[in-house]
């Protein structure tokens, strides 16, 4: 039995030795592996630095790429795993950039806010000063006056007279008005619209003054020629051009500078845009009578409202220079209600007046044209007159100018009915 126990103890001892040997071998292998790994790492000391450099370089490139996309107006989606770009958003944004550039170029040539600031040819700058987008109401006013005369007939002679009258009212006299206004508003524009040609230095003082003189003389010459063409004994159209040019001057220039006088300036501008071209068109093809002059002067109150709309975008500059435009004098909230009130009340009065003289059809047409204007006021203008002034004018003014034409046609029909 003792011998068996001794054999068992020997076997246990042998097994323990084998286990210890294996553990020692495993430890040596692990140590060897670790040592080998350490040797490999120490054998290439630039590996860690190279990896770090690549990572840093990649991060810098990604940041530069992100900034370039941000500056271009592209949309970048930042995610936890890194900056990844939404391709669809980029394409949409690139389209918007292109459209914005195109829109800026169009606004530049029309003289509207938001114009392109890139270098443009001198001839474009001269056109921009005249703000061609503002010619349209004056040209339309001539058409309304021709319709109100009751004597317009479609023939080459009348078409020629109409085109000359429109050229006088639009490119020449409106261009003169806008150029002289920009000249005397150069300090305000430096705040509100620094892209404008004069405050930006894109055109010289001499060139601006020369343009003012050419446009004024051109408008007066057209008025004189129309009187000769229409064989007027009294130069009514020429005198209208003189009066309109004088109003344009005192509206913009000191010491009177009516635009700084709130109501006076807005009404002077509104009447110039509605009454004067109407009178010129009516005098070209018929007889300008006191009753229609009163009607158009009243209608010019709507023009007062339109003029106030344009003042909202200039609040900052007007306030800085002490100009008492209505939005500055009354505040945005009150001024916006004064604006829509003058526009709507005037047109509603004219619609009821047309009904009173028996022109029910044209009265109903005018009511139908007023309704979408009121909708546009509540949709765009009243919520934010500063941000949505352009949207409102684009949505509402076509209906207003067609209302003017409807009124002119109504008056022409009334004149012919009385003559019959």
């Amino acid at each position: 039995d003792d011998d068996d126990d001794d054999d068992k103890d020997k076997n246990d001892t042998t097994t323990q030795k084998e286990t210890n040997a294996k553990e020692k071998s495993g430890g040596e292998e692990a140590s060897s592996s670790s040592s080998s790994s350490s040797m490999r790492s120490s054998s290439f000391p630039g590996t860690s630095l190279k990896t770090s450099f690549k990572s840093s370089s990649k991060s810098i490139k990604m940041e530069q790429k992100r900034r370039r996309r941000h500056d271009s107006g592209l949309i970048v989606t930042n995610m936890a795993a890194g900056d990844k770009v939404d391709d669809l958003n980029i394409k949409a944004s690139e389209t918007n950039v292109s459209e914005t550039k195109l829109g800026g170029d169009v606004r530049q040539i029309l003289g509207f806010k938001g114009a392109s600031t890139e270098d443009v040819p001198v001839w474009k700058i001269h056109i921009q000063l005249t703000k061609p987008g503002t010619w349209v109401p004056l040209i339309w006013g001539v058409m309304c006056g021709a319709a109100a005369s009751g004597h317009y007939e479609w023939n080459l002679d009348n078409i020629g007279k109409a085109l000359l009258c429109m050229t006088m009212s639009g490119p020449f006299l409106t261009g003169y008005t806008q150029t002289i206004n920009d000249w005397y508003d150069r300090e305000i524009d430096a705040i509100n619209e620094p892209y404008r040609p004069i405050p930006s230095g894109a055109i010289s003082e001499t060139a601006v003054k020369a343009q003012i003189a050419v446009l004024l003389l051109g408008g007066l010459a057209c008025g004189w020629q129309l009187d000769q063409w229409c064989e007027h004994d009294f130069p009514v159209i020429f005198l209208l051009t003189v009066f309109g040019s004088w109003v344009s001057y005192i509206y913009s220039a000191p010491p009177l500078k009516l635009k700084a006088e709130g109501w006076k300036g807005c009404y002077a501008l509104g009447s110039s845009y509605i009454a004067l071209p109407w009178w010129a068109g009516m005098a070209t093809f018929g007889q300008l009578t006191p009753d229609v002059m009163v009607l158009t002067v009243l209608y010019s109150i709507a023009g007062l409202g339109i003029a106030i709309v344009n003042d909202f975008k200039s609040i900052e500059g007007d306030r800085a220079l002490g100009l008492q435009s209505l939005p500055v004098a009354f505040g945005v909230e009150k001024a916006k209600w004064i604006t829509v009130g003058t526009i709507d009340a005037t047109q509603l009065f004219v619609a009821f007046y047309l009904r009173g003289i028996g022109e029910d059809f044209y009265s109903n047409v005018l009511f139908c044209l007023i309704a979408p204007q009121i909708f546009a006021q509540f949709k765009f203008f009243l919520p934010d007159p500063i941000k949505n002034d352009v949207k409102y004018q684009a949505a509402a003014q076509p209906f207003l100018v067609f209302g003017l034409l409807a009124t002119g046609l109504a008056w022409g029909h009334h004149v012919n009915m009385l003559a019959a």
Side-chain angles (χ1 to χ4, degrees), residues 140-152 154 278 282 292 295 299 350 354 357 359 361-363 365 369 401-417:
W140 192 265
V142 171
M143 294 172 58
C144 295
S149 70
H151 300 298
Y152 183 84
W154 289 98
W278 184 307
M282 193 166 186
V292 76
L295 178 64
Y299 218 129
V350 173
L354 293 179
I357 62 174
E359 297 295 334
F361 171 76
Y362 291 104
S363 175
V365 169
L369 291 170
V401 297
F402 275 107
L404 283 170
L405 181 59
T407 304
L409 291 170
W411 192 263
H413 182 262
H414 183 65
V415 169
N416 289 332
M417 290 295 291

Side-chain angles (χ1 to χ4, degrees), residues 143 145-155 157-162 285-286:
M143 294 172 58
S149 70
H151 300 298
Y152 183 84
E153 297 178 357
W154 289 98
N155 56 57
D157 187 65
N158 283 346
I159 291 174
K161 291 177 183 177
F285 298 101

Side-chain angles (χ1 to χ4, degrees), residues 259-263 318-319 321-330:
K259 70 178 301 179
E261 300 295 328
W263 290 96
D318 291 346
R319 186 181 289 115
L321 296 176
L323 299 179
Q324 290 299 305
S325 63
L326 263 71
V328 172
F330 291 92

